[in-house]
Amino acid sequence: MRAIAEFIMRGRMQATLVVAAAAALPLLFWLSAAASALVLLRRGMQDAVTIVVWAVLPALAWWYFAEPRTLLVLLGTLSLAQLLRRTQSWVAVLLASVPLGLLFALVLGEQFQESIARLAQELNTLMQQQMGEILQQWPEAERARMDSLVVPVLTGLMAALLQLLSLLSLMLARYWQAALYNPGGFAGEFHALRLSPLPAFGLLLALLLVPNVAPQLAMLVPLCTVPLALAGVALLHGLVAQKRLAGFWLVGLYVSLLLFLQLIYPLLMVLAIVDSLFDFRGRQRHKPDDAANGEG
């Protein structure tokens, strides 16, 4: 992966080739977003625009064929990269990803309205088959409320995936930047990532209360889980590095996440919330002297 970063930063023509080709090819739009973010982080918005425009063109072509994800992830990653470049704060980036995900949800809900409605109908039918007797015991108003939440939650899940892809693309770009100009800088940033109590409990309250305010706001529930889960992953990475544990602990984490997603994902969120109160990595954690951007 370092070789790709070196090729991107070799010159304007090489960077343009990577971002445009990756945006044009199916399933490689995340690479285009990461390459564009690398240029922005290192060179700034003014230099990045002349390169990113060549990624926007194939992304618009994909949108014409009813595939908006390429453009959404590209622009979402760039907006988060600009925020990171200005604030040098991963916490700010994680929190900003929530309204970004909401924007994704609105676009996806409009673009795939019929497909989401069909999927929601199939899920409702499946729930009736699997839980028919239990659902019959619920009050009519409660069943109607449950049915009204399916479409917003499905839309939120789709948007949360793009939200996560935007964050991961930015992390890849930051890793590339550190590898080229400040080795180990991204690891220090990621290991130190921790939500303070206010945003952590704010996200938790949004998870618990927002669906009761209005059914359409239920799309925020999956979006609010992403910052908490990533903060939980950062906590475990930081603890493994701090304790100098073997790397297989992290391998075990990701294998468990793939195999037991429904169990491990909420656990990561709980760890992030508890860590916001107790700071397991130490309240006097040393702040890295060098930023990962390598500009100084």
Side-chain angles (χ1 to χ4, degrees), residues 228-247:
L228 291 171
L230 285 179
V233 172
L235 167 63
L236 296 180
H237 272 264
L239 290 176
V240 168
Q242 191 178 69
K243 301 297 184 181
R244 299 183 180 179
L245 301 177

Side-chain angles (χ1 to χ4, degrees), residues 39-295:
V39 176
L40 190 154
L41 289 171
R42 178 63 180 174
R43 301 298 183 188
M45 180 63 76
Q46 186 173 356
D47 285 353
V49 167
T50 58
I51 294 172
V52 171
V53 66
W54 296 103
V56 171
L57 294 177
L60 288 173
W62 279 113
W63 193 307
Y64 178 78
F65 291 105
E67 178 50 83
R69 289 173 290 187
T70 300
L71 186 61
L72 292 178
V73 171
L74 175 64
L75 297 182
T77 303
L78 288 172
S79 62
L80 295 178
Q82 179 65 11
L83 177 63
L84 179 62
R85 179 178 169 87
R86 291 182 57 187
T87 65
Q88 300 296 313
S89 170
W90 277 103
V91 172
V93 170
L94 289 183
L95 296 178
S97 73
V98 176
L100 178 66
L102 180 59
L103 178 61
F104 289 166
L106 295 175
V107 173
L108 293 174
E110 182 66 25
Q111 190 76 20
F112 300 111
Q113 183 176 5
E114 295 182 0
S115 299
I116 295 174
R118 286 196 300 268
L119 181 57
Q121 186 176 6
E122 293 175 2
L123 286 176
N124 284 329
T125 302
L126 182 62
M127 290 177 60
Q128 289 290 340
Q129 295 174 352
Q130 299 295 327
M131 304 173 58
E133 295 182 0
I134 298 176
L135 292 177
Q136 289 299 324
Q137 299 175 6
W138 289 13
E140 182 66 27
E142 190 65 23
R143 293 201 302 269
R145 177 180 173 276
M146 183 65 65
D147 291 342
S148 68
L149 294 176
V150 176
V151 170
V153 170
L154 283 176
T155 306
L157 286 171
M158 294 173 60
L161 179 58
L162 298 189
Q163 174 192 5
L164 180 60
L165 282 175
S166 298
L167 286 167
L168 293 178
S169 297
L170 177 58
M171 289 180 178
L172 177 59
R174 192 65 158 179
Y175 166 77
W176 280 342
Q177 186 186 20
L180 292 178
Y181 307 110
N182 182 29
F186 172 71
E189 288 183 351
F190 191 63
H191 294 167
L193 174 58
R194 170 179 168 266
L195 296 175
S196 60
L198 182 59
F201 281 89
L203 291 170
L204 177 61
L205 288 176
L207 288 173
L208 299 176
L209 300 180
V210 161
N212 297 319
V213 176
Q216 287 300 322
L217 292 180
M219 66 177 61
L220 279 170
V221 172
L223 304 177
C224 291
T225 67
V226 174
L228 291 171
L230 285 179
V233 172
L235 167 63
L236 296 180
H237 272 264
L239 290 176
V240 168
Q242 191 178 69
K243 301 297 184 181
R244 299 183 180 179
L245 301 177
F248 75 85
W249 289 100
L250 295 177
V251 175
L253 165 65
Y254 290 110
V255 171
S256 300
L257 189 58
L258 289 175
L259 297 178
F260 309 105
L261 179 64
Q262 294 179 334
L263 174 64
I264 303 300
Y265 193 84
L267 180 60
L268 291 173
M269 295 165 52
V270 171
L271 287 175
I273 293 170
V274 176
D275 183 55
S276 71
L277 294 174
F278 298 104
D279 190 5
F280 296 124
R281 286 158 290 187
R283 298 183 181 276
Q284 302 300 321
R285 181 176 55 242
H286 177 63
K287 184 178 180 181
D289 294 329
D290 296 321
N293 58 20
E295 296 295 340

